[in-house]
């Protein structure tokens, strides 16, 4: 539910506001004293975000443009939020599948987007429960587990201990990270999920090396939520081919910018990150000193910006270079939670649309979405066309408290959000929260385009 959630009506509303006299949706200018504070906050915010992004881009696979095929769970249904359907399976005592129906749209402000019952399919989610010393039982798993780690949900539920598919060394490593997230000051709201490497043995005794992110939340306190991505994924590419096609640039708004407006949205003023270029030519993880060098270059550019406007322009340039998205925007909220695109940087070969200066109503990013942005600072949708993977529960009892995915990297997006992305021809998106003055100030919004 970002700026991408725009229907044709919203586009017209935005265009009218951008040319009308100042009103409610206009974002007021920022006093110089607040600009200085905001600049400092942006620098402070970007450091951990950029570090995480660089690990993603240079070491981790982000996702896939290809939807997974049928999982073979016959008789399973995707369930709307308003219903709770329990499916009995003849293959085991009870198999429960929960998830959102992509064809069932509700009012955006009513959606419980933190409990979608499904994840994006470029990774697999497994919720573990500690039972006795060094015993981990699988309670919830996404239905695509066989494609990622080589085990079906049924096979994982039958394990007496999740560690049975890990070596002794890997088991101890997993428990060491679990011990770390038990501390109050290591929660995902303050320090992000704990990320590390883990190797899982498949049936053929072939090992699968994965990235693993684990965290606990306040709702499902007895569960350890683990999210896995293949470290070297032959299917889920970092830059899917669909995003690099020779399609003509998107032109949804049919805007006719002036030469000055065109320059403001398309000319980059940030300096190239030198180490980043060389690091991307190599396969493998980024050395710690390289990450440090990149962050130093980013901090230097942001610190040297003369004013807030320049600071934001440098910021979109840096984020665009780090992430590779076709468009990066700074979206600021006003006191009534209406929003305005303050600056942007866009590849004109991917889109002719320019958003800088457009205003959008508060309903485009409803309260529950803003609340999530306050606690989970980064939200990623790799491919709007990728089929989601529903969560499978071990027993009916596991449905009593739906799995809270507030801090999950893989959390499936709202069907309404997906619909608006499709209307805008946006194929992938990412949003990064900007916190300032003890509140959500705005968002860094990233869009990529690709074949329809």
């Amino acid at each position: 539910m970002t700026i991408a959630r725009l229907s044709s009506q919203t586009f017209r509303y935005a265009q009218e506001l951008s040319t009308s006299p100042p009103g409610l949706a206009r974002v007021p200018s920022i006093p110089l004293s607040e600009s200085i504070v905001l600049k400092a906050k942006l620098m402070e915010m970007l450091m951990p975000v950029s570090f995480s992004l660089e690990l993603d881009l240079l070491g981790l696979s982000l996702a896939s443009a290809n939807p997974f095929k049928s999982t073979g769970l016959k008789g399973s249904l995707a369930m709307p939020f308003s219903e709770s359907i329990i499916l009995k399976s003849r293959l085991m005592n009870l198999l429960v599948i929960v998830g959102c129906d992509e064809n069932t749209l509700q009012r955006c402000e009513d959606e419980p987007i933190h409990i979608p019952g499904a994840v994006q399919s470029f990774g697999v989610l497994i919720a573990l429960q500690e039972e006795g010393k060094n015993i981990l039982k699988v309670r919830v798993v996404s239905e695509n587990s066989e494609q990622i780690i080589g085990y079906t949900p049924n096979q994982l539920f039958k394990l007496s201990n999740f560690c049975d598919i890990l070596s002794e060394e890997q088991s101890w490593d997993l428990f060491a990270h679990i011990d770390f997230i038990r501390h109050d000051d290591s929660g995902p709201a303050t320090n992000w999920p704990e990320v590390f490497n883990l190797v899982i043995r498949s049936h053929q005794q072939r090992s699968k090396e994965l990235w693993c992110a684990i965290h606990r939340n306040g709702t499902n306190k007895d569960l350890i939520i683990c999210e896995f991505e293949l470290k070297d994924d032959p299917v889920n590419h970092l830059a899917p081919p669909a995003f690099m096609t020779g399609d003509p640039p998107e032109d949804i708004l049919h805007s006719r910018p002036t030469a000055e407006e065109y320059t403001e949205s398309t000319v980059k003023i940030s300096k190239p990150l030198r180490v980043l270029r060389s690091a991307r030519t190599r396969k493998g993880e980024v050395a710690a000193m390289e990450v440090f060098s990149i962050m130093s270059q980013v901090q230097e550019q942001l610190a040297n910006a003369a004013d807030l406007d320049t600071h934001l322009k440098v910021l979109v340039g840096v984020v665009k270079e780090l992430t590779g998205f076709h468009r990066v925007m700074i979206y600021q909220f006003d006191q009534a939670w209406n929003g305005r695109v303050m600056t942007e940087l866009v590849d004109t070969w991917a889109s002719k649309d320019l958003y800088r200066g457009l205003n959008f109503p508060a309903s485009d990013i409803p309260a529950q979405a803003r609340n999530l942005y306050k606690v989970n600072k980064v939200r990623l949708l790799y491919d709007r066309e990728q089929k989601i993977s529903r969560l499978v529960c071990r027993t009916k009892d596991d449905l009593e408290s739906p799995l809270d995915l507030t801090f999950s990297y893989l959390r499936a997006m709202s069907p309404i959000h997906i619909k608006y992305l499709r209307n805008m021809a946006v194929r992938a998106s990412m949003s990064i929260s900007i916190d300032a003055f003890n509140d959500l100030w705005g968002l860094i919004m990233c869009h990529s385009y690709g074949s329809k």
Side-chain angles (χ1 to χ4, degrees):
M1 277 157 287
T2 63
I3 191 174
R5 287 196 53 260
L6 298 176
S7 63
S8 58
Q9 276 188 332
T10 307
F11 277 130
R12 288 197 297 271
Y13 174 83
Q15 289 175 308
E16 289 170 2
L17 283 178
S18 66
T19 57
S20 63
L24 179 63
R26 289 285 185 182
V27 180
S29 59
I30 305 174
L32 178 60
S33 59
E34 292 188 4
S35 297
I36 296 173
V37 175
L38 176 60
K39 179 178 174 181
K41 289 289 185 181
L42 286 170
M43 291 177 61
E44 178 183 353
M45 174 276 300
L46 186 62
M47 291 304 105
V49 171
S50 299
F51 179 79
S52 175
L53 288 175
E54 199 53 39
L55 289 179
D56 280 345
L57 291 162
L58 297 174
L60 286 74
S61 167
L62 287 181
S64 170
N66 300 320
F68 286 108
K69 297 181 180 179
S70 171
T71 58
L73 294 172
K74 297 181 179 180
S76 303
L77 300 175
M79 293 185 289
F81 288 113
S82 58
E83 301 178 14
S84 178
I85 301 175
I86 300 174
L87 302 173
K88 293 185 177 180
S89 170
R90 296 180 183 274
L91 300 178
M92 56 186 299
N93 292 333
L94 189 65
L95 179 64
V96 181
I97 296 191
V98 297
C100 57
D101 185 349
E102 296 183 43
N103 298 315
T104 302
L105 299 181
Q106 304 177 353
R107 291 195 313 163
C108 190
E109 60 268 27
D110 295 334
E111 279 191 284
I113 56 178
H114 64 296
I115 49 172
V119 297
Q120 298 179 61
S121 294
F122 64 86
V124 61
L125 183 144
I126 300 176
L128 303 172
Q129 184 177 39
E130 292 184 272
E131 294 185 3
K133 186 177 180 180
N134 299 334
I135 301 295
L136 297 171
K137 289 283 189 179
V138 177
R139 305 303 308 183
V140 181
V141 60
S142 57
E143 62 181 332
N144 65 325
S145 57
E146 186 174 15
Q147 287 90 343
I148 303 296
I149 64 173
Y151 294 89
T152 67
N154 285 350
Q155 291 169 334
L156 291 171
F157 290 143
K158 289 177 181 178
L159 293 174
S160 59
N161 186 354
F162 179 73
C163 293
D164 291 345
I165 59 176
L166 305 177
S167 67
E168 182 177 1
E169 180 183 359
Q170 293 294 301
S171 296
W172 285 115
D173 192 32
L174 174 59
F175 279 110
H177 288 283
I178 291 174
D179 286 339
F180 176 78
I181 65 172
R182 286 195 178 98
H183 301 291
D184 293 336
D185 59 353
S186 62
T190 54
N191 286 308
W192 306 49
E194 177 76 352
V195 180
F196 56 98
N197 291 334
L198 196 69
V199 178
I200 291 180
R201 296 179 303 202
S202 65
H203 290 299
Q204 296 79 20
Q205 296 301 311
R206 291 190 302 177
S207 297
K208 294 201 173 188
E209 191 173 3
L210 305 119
W211 290 101
C212 178
I214 64 172
H215 73 276
R216 294 177 183 267
N217 62 53
T219 304
N220 313 101
K221 296 181 179 180
D222 60 335
L223 295 181
I224 302 158
I225 300 174
C226 307
E227 299 169 86
F228 299 94
E229 290 182 59
L230 287 169
K231 196 169 183 183
D232 187 12
D233 197 325
V235 177
N236 302 332
H237 303 290
L238 182 61
F243 297 173
M244 305 300 291
T245 61
D247 295 341
E250 300 297 341
D251 190 11
I252 305 299
L253 293 178
H254 303 293
S255 56
R256 298 295 177 262
T258 64
E260 182 181 359
E261 290 171 336
Y262 185 85
T263 299
E264 286 285 344
S265 293
T266 61
V267 175
K268 176 182 175 181
I269 69 169
S270 61
K271 298 177 182 178
L273 302 175
R274 300 179 300 277
V275 179
L276 183 60
R277 291 184 175 183
S278 61
R280 279 181 168 154
T281 62
R282 303 189 313 273
K283 186 175 181 180
E285 298 180 39
V286 186
M289 289 305 296
E290 289 178 318
V291 174
F292 177 78
S293 177
I294 292 169
M295 293 303 97
S296 297
Q297 292 176 40
V298 170
Q299 186 177 23
E300 180 183 4
Q301 291 193 52
L302 294 175
N304 290 336
D307 50 45
L308 181 60
D309 183 57
T310 304
H311 188 92
L312 296 180
K313 289 179 179 178
V314 170
L315 183 60
V316 294
V318 166
V319 172
K320 191 174 184 305
E321 186 171 1
L322 284 170
T323 63
F325 278 90
H326 297 149
R327 183 194 305 273
V328 177
M329 302 169 281
I330 302 294
Y331 185 89
Q332 183 191 356
F333 295 108
D334 68 8
Q335 293 181 346
W337 296 110
N338 303 299
R340 178 175 181 143
V341 177
M342 304 300 291
T343 191
E344 69 175 339
L345 184 61
V346 60
D347 291 327
T348 53
W349 60 265
S351 175
K352 292 183 179 180
D353 299 322
L354 302 183
Y355 295 142
R356 180 179 176 274
L358 295 186
N359 298 265
F360 302 93
S363 58
D364 274 17
I365 305 179
Q368 80 272 31
R370 297 195 300 268
N371 290 337
L372 275 185
Y373 280 126
K374 292 178 181 179
V375 294
N376 190 348
K377 308 301 183 184
V378 179
R379 185 183 71 168
L380 172 71
L381 174 68
Y382 189 78
D383 186 0
R384 68 157 198 261
E385 297 301 327
Q386 186 181 53
K387 182 180 178 181
I388 61 173
S389 293
R390 299 160 296 183
L391 300 184
V392 183
C393 298
R394 188 186 188 97
T395 69
K396 178 181 176 181
D397 293 338
D398 294 309
L399 274 182
E400 293 181 0
S401 180
L403 195 61
D404 187 340
L405 300 184
T406 294
F407 299 103
S408 170
Y409 286 128
L410 297 176
R411 175 170 58 89
M413 297 295 116
S414 157
I416 298 176
H417 179 60
I418 298 297
K419 180 178 176 67
Y420 279 93
L421 285 177
R422 189 175 291 114
N423 290 343
M424 289 183 66
V426 173
R427 192 69 183 261
S429 68
M430 183 175 70
S431 303
I432 305 171
S433 303
I434 301 176
D435 294 328
F437 316 117
N438 299 316
D439 210 344
L440 181 64
W441 181 90
L443 300 169
I444 304 172
M445 291 184 168
C446 309
H447 290 170
S448 273
Y449 302 87
S451 175
K452 296 183 180 69

